[in-house]
Amino acid sequence: MKRIILAIILAVFTLNAKAGDRLSVNTKIVSLNGTVSEILVGLGLENNIIGTDVTSNYPESLKSKPKIGHYRNISAEGIIALQPDVVTGLSTEIKPELAAQLKSAGIKLVMFTQDFSPDGTRKLIKDMSAAFGGQQQAAVLIKKLDTDLAAANKLNKTATKPKVLFIYARGAGTMMVSGDNTPLNKIIQLAGGQNAVTGFNDYKPLTSEALVAANPDAILLFSSGMESLGGATGLLNVQGINQTNAGKNKKFITMEGELLTGFGPRLGQAIAELSQKLK
């Protein structure tokens, strides 16, 4: 029932956004998603942003904005304390309870859907400009995105598709691998690789048996994840790593997390960087 209520709430606000609502110059915005925050800045609305989630770190200037936590554990109280006019983010990342609390406080929700693909990125930029204004800025963002994607596409035209295993790590005690229907799976494919593990959705715990069976050619981690393991030496100490082609060749790739998984305006740059590192 809560899911149904949330869907109704979000549908209403989505319709309002598409109907052409525009913000005043003083509208105060809280963003709950890093990609959404990045696009808001690209649309010329950085000065309207009064708070963000912890993943909103690009551009660098967003790091100075008040942080309200990660979308998984954001409280209504922290948002309400900032007194925003609008809270925005992705519809899949806001809990029904939080949406109801914000609505009760008289705060408008403008939420968006995101498809992890180039077309999905273009649509998100267009949808956000329809809701917040900035059509000219949106056109500039999309033109730059298309240029970057075209350049990235030239880099990954190879006969072989290396097997890439993404490991989400927060120390050796918390290690997960990404399967189908994840942004990691999509970005690996766009960069000319193939996911080393398939047959399941989302993420699942890393096991040495599955690791050896997958035998990836390259292992991909967030830069912060590699740091949590103590670098390449720590990764090699994980059971099974040194039995894989990636471990034997020390083919370990790190990238900044928001860039790798955001599927925002820098998508072409992310694909190009991963393509180069896979070679």
Side-chain angles (χ1 to χ4, degrees):
M1 179 61 71
K2 290 181 179 179
R3 295 288 180 185
I4 295 174
I5 293 173
L6 175 59
I8 294 172
I9 292 172
L10 295 179
V12 170
F13 286 119
T14 300
L15 287 173
N16 285 343
K18 290 181 178 179
D21 289 353
R22 289 295 182 269
L23 304 179
S24 74
V25 68
N26 297 317
T27 298
K28 296 179 293 184
I29 304 171
V30 166
S31 172
L32 307 182
N33 176 271
T35 299
V36 169
S37 298
E38 183 178 342
I39 293 173
L40 285 173
V41 173
L43 294 178
L45 297 169
E46 182 171 1
N47 290 337
N48 295 84
I49 301 173
I50 61 168
T52 71
D53 74 310
V54 296
T55 70
S56 298
N57 294 311
Y58 186 88
E60 184 78 15
S61 53
L62 284 179
K63 292 182 178 180
S64 64
K65 301 286 185 179
K67 300 301 178 186
I68 52 172
H70 193 276
Y71 75 86
R72 293 190 184 94
N73 54 20
I74 288 174
S75 69
E77 291 77 13
I79 296 174
I80 293 170
L82 295 175
Q83 299 183 320
D85 301 304
V86 175
V87 170
T88 187
L90 298 180
S91 58
T92 54
E93 295 181 352
I94 186 168
K95 295 180 179 179
E97 297 83 358
L98 178 59
Q101 289 171 324
L102 295 176
K103 181 185 178 185
S104 296
I107 299 171
K108 183 176 181 179
L109 294 181
V110 180
M111 310 305 289
F112 301 93
T113 58
Q114 183 181 32
D115 177 68
F116 297 110
S117 68
D119 281 342
T121 299
R122 295 184 189 98
K123 182 177 184 299
L124 180 58
I125 293 171
K126 291 176 182 177
D127 287 348
M128 289 187 61
S129 68
F132 293 118
Q135 277 78 11
Q136 289 184 341
Q137 292 94 328
V140 172
L141 288 177
I142 292 173
K143 183 177 180 179
K144 177 65 163 59
L145 171 67
D146 290 341
T147 299
D148 290 344
L149 288 169
N153 190 49
K154 295 178 181 179
L155 296 174
N156 60 25
K157 293 186 179 302
T158 58
T160 60
K161 293 183 178 294
K163 292 194 297 180
V164 184
L165 179 69
F166 173 78
I167 299 178
Y168 174 85
R170 283 295 175 265
T174 303
M175 302 185 72
M176 309 282 287
V177 295
S178 65
D180 303 324
N181 298 318
T182 62
L184 275 309
N185 183 59
K186 297 291 183 66
I187 196 82
I188 288 169
Q189 293 174 349
L190 288 169
Q194 58 179 314
N195 197 344
V197 289
T198 58
F200 64 95
N201 290 325
D202 208 19
Y203 299 83
K204 72 177 184 180
L206 173 71
T207 65
S208 57
E209 295 81 9
L211 175 61
V212 174
N215 192 23
D217 300 305
I219 293 176
L220 173 64
L221 302 94
F222 294 153
S223 300
S224 58
M226 180 68 95
E227 291 171 5
S228 76
L229 295 172
T233 300
L235 181 58
L236 282 168
N237 286 333
V238 174
Q239 188 174 2
I241 292 289
N242 59 7
Q243 298 179 51
T244 66
N245 288 336
K248 293 171 183 175
N249 297 317
K250 295 182 174 59
K251 186 67 171 180
F252 306 143
I253 299 171
T254 60
M255 287 181 61
E256 187 264 323
E258 285 82 24
L259 174 63
L260 186 62
T261 63
F263 277 76
R266 294 178 293 155
L267 176 60
Q269 299 172 42
I271 296 170
E273 181 176 334
L274 182 54
S275 293
Q276 290 281 29
K277 291 182 174 181
L278 285 175
K279 292 186 183 302

